[in-house]
Amino acid sequence: MYPLFVARLALFATHLLTLVCSSDSDTLREKLRIIPNELCSMPYGSFRVNIYEHANNKLEAANPNDKKYVYAPIALLDHKSAVRCIDNVRKQAEVRFRIEMWNEKVENEVAKYVSKIVGHQVNDHQVQVIPFDKVILTSTMPSTAFYLTTHWLPYQLQKSLQFSLLCFERKVCDQLAVEMRSNPEQFGYFKLFFGLASQVSQTKDITIRIANVISGQMVQNLLQQFDEQVFLTANDEKRLLTDTTTNILIDTLEDSDMVSSISESEIYNTVKEMLSVTTVKEKNNQMWEWVFWNDDNYRPDKMSYTLNKTFKKLDAEAQRNMSELYQNFSVVGSEGEANFLELISTTASVKSEFTRHGCTSNEDLANFYRESKDYVEWDGDKFVPKLLTLSKINLTQCRDKNPLQDRGIRVRYSTAVLSAPINFVQHADVTITDEWHNLRLLVANVTRELNETRANLTSELQARTSRMETIDKIPTSCADLRRIGHIKSGLFLVMGNEMVETVYCNFTKPDDSGFQKWIGYTDVKSAPCYFYVQRNYGFDQTETPIPFDREVLNVGGAMNLTSGIFTAARTGKYFFSFTGLAFLPGHSSSRAYFNVVLYKESDLIKDYVGRGYSDENNIEDRGYETFSLQSILHLQARDNIWLQINGMSHGVYLSGGAYTHFNGWKLEEEISQSL
Ligand SMILES: *[C@@H]1O[C@H](CO)[C@@H](O)[C@H](O)[C@H]1NC(C)=O
Ligand SMILES: *[C@@H]1O[C@H](CO)[C@@H](O)[C@H](O)[C@H]1NC(C)=O
Ligand SMILES: *[C@@H]1O[C@H](CO)[C@@H](O)[C@H](O)[C@H]1NC(C)=O
Ligand SMILES: *[C@@H]1O[C@H](CO)[C@@H](O)[C@H](O)[C@H]1NC(C)=O
Ligand SMILES: *[C@@H]1O[C@H](CO)[C@@H](O)[C@H](O)[C@H]1NC(C)=O
Ligand SMILES: *[C@@H]1O[C@H](CO)[C@@H](O)[C@H](O)[C@H]1NC(C)=O
Ligand SMILES: *[C@@H]1O[C@H](CO)[C@@H](O)[C@H](O)[C@H]1NC(C)=O
Ligand SMILES: *[C@@H]1O[C@H](CO)[C@@H](O)[C@H](O)[C@H]1NC(C)=O
Ligand SMILES: CC(=O)N[C@H]1CO[C@H](CO)[C@@H](O)[C@@H]1O
């Protein structure tokens, strides 16, 4: 609620955590059962972490694995988390930021460090942060820009807590948030107080001396600037009383004492009475000379005056718009600002009026609009300052002091069990471990990497496709491959004259000369072709293709057993073999013979390829005679191949019974012809 800065700058020379006094040591001993003399102080980044032992560790029966060690919160400021917010409950601008109390890394290091000190293994679970119940952020240096609340925050051993600075003005908070993010060490005068729920508060009678009240910086400023009296806005009144209250507390309480909120507001109100601050609601033009305003340009009467003057320079429509802008309170924020800027910028003489007022940039004009909306209104035909509730202080009284009385007051306060200066991430080893933050970073990293990968791939693809041509044929060389976009050297298949060929393309060679190395033919067949057929029965017809009746294998179906004709499906080289058994009878005295011919028919031209022949003159030697015929042929697609008996003597026949075999297969295909 109201501020408090508990201070003793001189005491704050070291970044060591300090246990504050003997009575607190008692609290530690009694309530937490901690041995108050620290066991050790572990270096951690640019500061140290104090480590204490649990009293039970000293018991005779204590097992090393049950011993407990506690360490002081690290109080590490996460300066990057500082943001300016508006607390909508208190209607107050504030700077919010996080302070880290502990993390797994510290815990782990404490365990390791204690292990070394005590000479036996100490596990993570034997170590924890001191179990305080409450915490409060204080400052050892008073500030007129911000204040801190005097309410304790419950602390349930969270890894980190949010704290805030409260500002009298929003723009001050904006500035402070930036400062904290960019130069956190300036806030080195912050301290954390830790306490226990069971602690009883103490009381102390103090005297508020009028001399102390008047010696405050803001009162002194007012005494210099104004003569008999001064009027303050509610905000400035609060600033003055807060500032004074803080000074009084710094003067009367010990460094580690925390005043209760109620006592603090009692002091605040007492100071208000002592200064005989009275509230007035006045509308009187002379009064403005007595009003304290941080920046004179924003004094309501001066803003009204400028608005009035510029209003007269606008045309009727713009005038209507401008007056509406000040009546329509619903038009807030950026929309109102934008409308205002537009109205000003359309008329040059209006703009120069604002320049005279000290508003040169659009930023100034937007500020002017924001401030003027709070303090100026349209009364129907002109702009007038709003009726303000102001506080009046009689400065004459302050000067001669006599009528003013010192006042005694009883304050209630509690003493922190531990006071710790806040620490900063000044060392590479010390990092803030905010899981959410890390996760966000990780996601951002992954997204960035994906983006980069995508960008890389896109540019690579573009680089390739920009070089890529369409050649509208099957590539026949490395040069063709390069033209259609291949860039990685290796073995490739290209179309040769008849067959597919394998080539090695060395694309690292700058030009097309000599970058193709011929490797060999590639045996590619559009379909397999193998057959093996037999005759089971004898055959004695001449001048007709020999049919077959047993199909052992006929892959591709090129062999027609019924007709005895093999038809080449594709152009290429084929192998055929024919072996058989002819029966030459012994009843005739004349020569017995058997003549078989392999025919090829291409484009209806029938020609024989080769012949097989058996004969026998001697009757005694007649009987079965074998013959055979092998050939390799180049066939065009649709060429026919068959065997036929072209001549034989009477009674001769081709034997069946699986003694007659016809085989064939495609050796290689002229694949270029097949496409
Ligand atoms: C006045 O306001 C109306 C409606 O918002 C807008 O269309 C018009 O341009 C404004 N005129 C001037 C002169 O700003
Ligand atoms: C002000 O409010 C009136 C009625 O709500 C509306 O017609 C008018 O456009 C508003 N003017 C501006 C400048 O927003
Ligand atoms: C201020 O206080 C003095 C007494 O110290 C009194 O004479 C004077 O009238 C007061 N002035 C105003 C403006 O109230
Ligand atoms: C994100 O990337 C930065 C550098 O590119 C690196 O330092 C940081 O460790 C990364 N964060 C995570 C969570 O991966
Ligand atoms: C990734 O790229 C998109 C669009 O290309 C962009 O909007 C986004 O901000 C990028 N994200 C990161 C993390 O770079
Ligand atoms: C993208 O390309 C650049 C330059 O070649 C390289 O340094 C970077 O690692 C690449 N990024 C990814 C995600 O592949
Ligand atoms: C490919 O060409 C480059 C440049 O002429 C040469 O240095 C390299 O040895 C060649 N690679 C092979 C495998 O022939
Ligand atoms: C095989 O030849 C016979 C006789 O010429 C014919 O009737 C039959 O259709 C042919 N079979 C095939 C599969 O071509
Ligand atoms: C309140 C205020 O400043 N009113 C002024 C508006 O402008 C006219 C003329 O410019 C003055 O006469 C009023 O006093």
Side-chain angles (χ1 to χ4, degrees):
M1 203 167 106
Y2 299 117
L4 169 69
F5 307 102
V6 185
R8 258 318 126 79
L9 265 178
L11 281 184
F12 181 60
T14 164
H15 270 226
L16 286 183
L17 297 175
T18 40
L19 276 175
V20 278
C21 66
S22 62
S23 69
D24 306 320
S25 304
D26 294 344
T27 320
L28 275 187
R29 197 187 340 264
E30 286 158 23
K31 305 263 164 53
L32 294 171
R33 309 240 334 111
I34 289 169
I35 300 171
N37 307 348
E38 73 241 39
L39 171 71
C40 52
S41 164
M42 177 187 82
Y44 190 71
S46 55
F47 54 94
R48 299 181 84 93
V49 178
N50 282 358
I51 305 169
Y52 307 88
E53 264 190 288
H54 195 274
N56 288 1
N57 291 4
K58 296 289 180 213
L59 299 179
E60 290 274 335
N63 177 335
N65 289 333
D66 295 336
K67 289 189 173 177
K68 297 259 179 280
Y69 303 89
V70 292
Y71 58 93
I74 56 175
L76 194 58
L77 174 68
D78 179 5
H79 59 279
K80 294 213 178 86
S81 67
V83 281
R84 197 265 295 147
C85 315
I86 300 291
D87 177 333
N88 282 319
V89 177
R90 283 182 286 209
K91 294 270 175 256
Q92 175 107 44
E94 59 180 44
V95 180
R96 252 180 236 170
F97 50 91
R98 237 169 49 94
I99 295 183
E100 188 163 82
M101 302 299 181
W102 63 276
N103 57 46
E104 273 92 6
K105 187 176 173 214
V106 174
E107 198 136 306
N108 194 270
E109 293 204 357
V110 167
K112 276 196 277 184
Y113 197 76
V114 174
S115 299
K116 272 194 282 179
I117 303 278
V118 299
H120 60 78
Q121 173 72 30
V122 172
N123 297 310
D124 284 9
H125 66 82
Q126 290 170 266
V127 164
Q128 73 155 81
V129 74
I130 304 176
F132 293 117
D133 298 316
K134 53 187 187 178
V135 61
I136 195 163
L137 180 73
T138 68
S139 169
T140 52
M141 190 140 88
S143 161
T144 49
F146 65 84
Y147 62 95
L148 297 160
T149 94
T150 50
H151 289 287
W152 290 93
L153 270 176
Y155 180 54
Q156 286 159 335
L157 306 191
Q158 291 99 321
K159 284 185 176 170
S160 66
L161 285 178
Q162 288 273 356
F163 293 90
S164 37
L165 306 180
L166 304 167
C167 309
F168 296 102
E169 282 151 77
R170 194 180 66 158
K171 58 176 186 267
V172 172
C173 266
D174 284 334
Q175 187 58 34
L176 283 172
V178 171
E179 291 285 327
M180 187 177 282
R181 285 198 297 270
S182 59
N183 189 4
E185 278 84 358
Q186 294 176 88
F187 296 84
Y189 46 80
F190 283 166
K191 281 184 117 166
L192 289 179
F193 283 177
F194 294 92
L196 295 170
S198 52
Q199 270 177 279
V200 286
S201 55
Q202 288 152 293
T203 54
K204 184 175 192 172
D205 291 317
I206 65 164
T207 304
I208 304 177
R209 285 177 218 291
I210 191 66
N212 289 359
V213 171
I214 287 167
S215 66
Q217 194 189 342
M218 188 156 169
V219 178
Q220 285 299 309
N221 278 351
L222 295 177
L223 286 171
Q224 271 168 28
Q225 275 183 51
F226 298 89
D227 204 11
E228 291 170 17
Q229 58 183 1
V230 67
F231 293 94
L232 299 180
T233 60
N235 207 24
D236 286 326
E237 184 205 79
K238 188 168 169 186
R239 189 199 305 261
L240 175 97
L241 296 178
T242 299
D243 191 22
T244 312
T245 306
T246 305
N247 284 336
I248 291 165
L249 286 170
I250 287 176
D251 229 35
T252 53
L253 290 180
E254 292 299 325
D255 179 45
S256 56
D257 291 341
M258 194 71 219
V259 72
S260 78
S261 302
I262 292 175
S263 292
E264 195 199 12
S265 49
E266 270 171 25
I267 297 174
Y268 183 96
N269 289 327
T270 306
V271 171
K272 186 170 174 177
E273 280 169 30
M274 287 166 74
L275 287 173
S276 11
V277 179
T278 51
T279 307
V280 293
K281 224 170 177 159
E282 243 180 290
K283 213 170 184 178
N284 144 14
N285 279 340
Q286 280 80 57
M287 172 195 78
W288 289 110
E289 290 307 316
W290 304 104
V291 176
F292 170 77
W293 218 266
N294 250 342
D295 183 341
D296 263 0
N297 277 340
Y298 292 113
R299 233 169 65 180
D301 60 324
K302 296 194 175 171
M303 288 197 291
S304 305
Y305 179 77
T306 298
L307 283 171
N308 261 345
K309 270 184 92 174
T310 56
F311 184 78
K312 298 216 164 74
K313 294 183 174 168
L314 295 173
D315 64 27
E317 189 195 348
Q319 283 188 344
R320 196 175 56 245
N321 283 1
M322 183 138 160
S323 60
E324 268 178 9
L325 207 52
Y326 280 81
Q327 292 164 67
N328 285 9
F329 286 106
S330 58
V331 183
V332 287
S334 51
E335 196 196 331
E337 266 165 49
N339 290 351
F340 182 77
L341 288 181
E342 199 186 312
L343 277 172
I344 302 306
S345 53
T346 44
T347 317
S349 57
V350 168
K351 202 151 186 199
S352 65
E353 199 61 50
F354 277 94
T355 310
R356 215 185 332 272
H357 192 99
C359 301
T360 46
S361 65
N362 275 357
E363 166 96 41
D364 292 341
L365 287 170
N367 264 336
F368 180 96
Y369 174 72
R370 273 199 293 271
E371 295 279 332
S372 67
K373 281 213 73 150
D374 289 340
Y375 294 111
V376 172
E377 64 190 350
W378 175 251
D379 76 350
D381 56 4
K382 62 183 181 306
F383 291 97
V384 292
K386 275 187 189 171
L387 184 59
L388 288 182
T389 304
L390 297 171
S391 301
K392 189 169 91 172
I393 299 176
N394 184 336
L395 293 176
T396 312
Q397 245 179 15
C398 290
R399 281 202 184 84
D400 58 18
K401 289 176 200 161
N402 286 338
L404 302 176
Q405 304 271 309
D406 292 349
R407 294 274 294 268
I409 190 167
R410 169 165 294 186
V411 295
R412 186 167 283 282
Y413 66 97
S414 51
T415 302
V417 175
L418 185 82
S419 108
I422 60 164
N423 292 306
F424 306 97
V425 184
Q426 284 162 323
H427 195 277
D429 282 351
V430 178
T431 47
I432 293 283
T433 55
D434 178 350
E435 279 87 359
W436 264 112
H437 184 67
N438 283 354
L439 207 56
R440 279 201 306 274
L441 277 185
L442 187 66
V443 169
N445 275 3
V446 170
T447 314
R448 192 172 51 237
E449 228 168 84
L450 279 179
N451 266 9
E452 204 180 302
T453 310
R454 182 173 56 191
N456 280 5
L457 285 179
T458 309
S459 63
E460 195 178 320
L461 197 64
Q462 270 164 359
R464 271 194 195 204
T465 49
S466 67
R467 284 201 315 266
M468 227 151 97
E469 297 171 41
T470 315
I471 57 173
D472 234 358
K473 63 167 185 179
I474 296 174
T476 60
S477 63
C478 291
D480 284 353
L481 291 171
R482 174 176 276 175
R483 279 162 67 200
I484 63 174
H486 284 276
I487 54 168
K488 295 258 190 283
S489 304
L491 290 174
F492 290 87
L493 297 179
V494 293
M495 200 67 225
N497 285 339
E498 294 173 357
M499 315 262 298
V500 174
E501 290 168 7
T502 302
V503 290
Y504 172 73
C505 304
N506 186 349
F507 289 118
T508 57
K509 292 217 171 169
D511 55 35
D512 289 3
S513 61
F515 75 141
Q516 172 168 322
K517 184 175 169 60
W518 194 82
I519 303 293
Y521 289 109
T522 308
D523 187 10
V524 181
K525 298 188 177 83
S526 57
C529 169
Y530 304 93
F531 75 90
Y532 173 24
V533 295
Q534 297 172 347
R535 271 211 69 85
N536 281 335
Y537 306 100
F539 186 72
D540 62 357
Q541 290 174 50
T542 54
E543 307 289 333
T544 180
I546 302 171
F548 293 86
D549 44 43
R550 179 154 185 250
E551 178 184 286
V552 180
L553 188 72
N554 191 8
V555 179
M559 182 65 204
N560 185 334
L561 279 77
T562 323
S563 64
I565 295 173
F566 170 91
T567 306
R570 304 287 187 189
T571 303
K573 298 182 181 67
Y574 291 81
F575 172 83
F576 298 98
S577 117
F578 177 68
T579 66
L581 197 59
F583 180 72
L584 307 177
H587 53 75
S588 157
S589 60
S590 62
R591 190 174 56 99
Y593 71 95
F594 178 84
N595 177 11
V596 65
V597 178
L598 182 67
Y599 275 98
K600 168 178 147 187
E601 185 191 53
S602 189
D603 291 332
L604 297 177
I605 298 167
K606 179 176 130 183
D607 202 359
Y608 75 78
V609 174
R611 290 194 283 200
Y613 186 80
S614 329
D615 72 351
E616 197 58 68
N617 285 325
N618 299 333
I619 288 179
E620 308 83 68
D621 295 336
R622 305 270 172 91
Y624 291 99
E625 292 285 339
T626 57
F627 60 87
S628 74
L629 186 152
Q630 276 84 32
S631 69
I632 294 176
L633 299 175
H634 182 267
L635 301 183
Q636 300 293 330
R638 289 177 304 280
D639 281 1
N640 291 328
I641 294 289
W642 71 89
L643 287 156
Q644 71 183 42
I645 304 167
N646 266 10
M648 60 183 179
S649 48
H650 180 69
V652 174
Y653 65 90
L654 180 64
S655 177
Y659 291 115
T660 298
H661 315 268
F662 189 26
N663 294 292
W665 51 289
K666 181 162 68 185
L667 292 171
E668 60 181 43
E669 183 173 331
E670 247 172 57
I671 200 80
S672 60
Q673 304 288 313
S674 304
L675 302 174

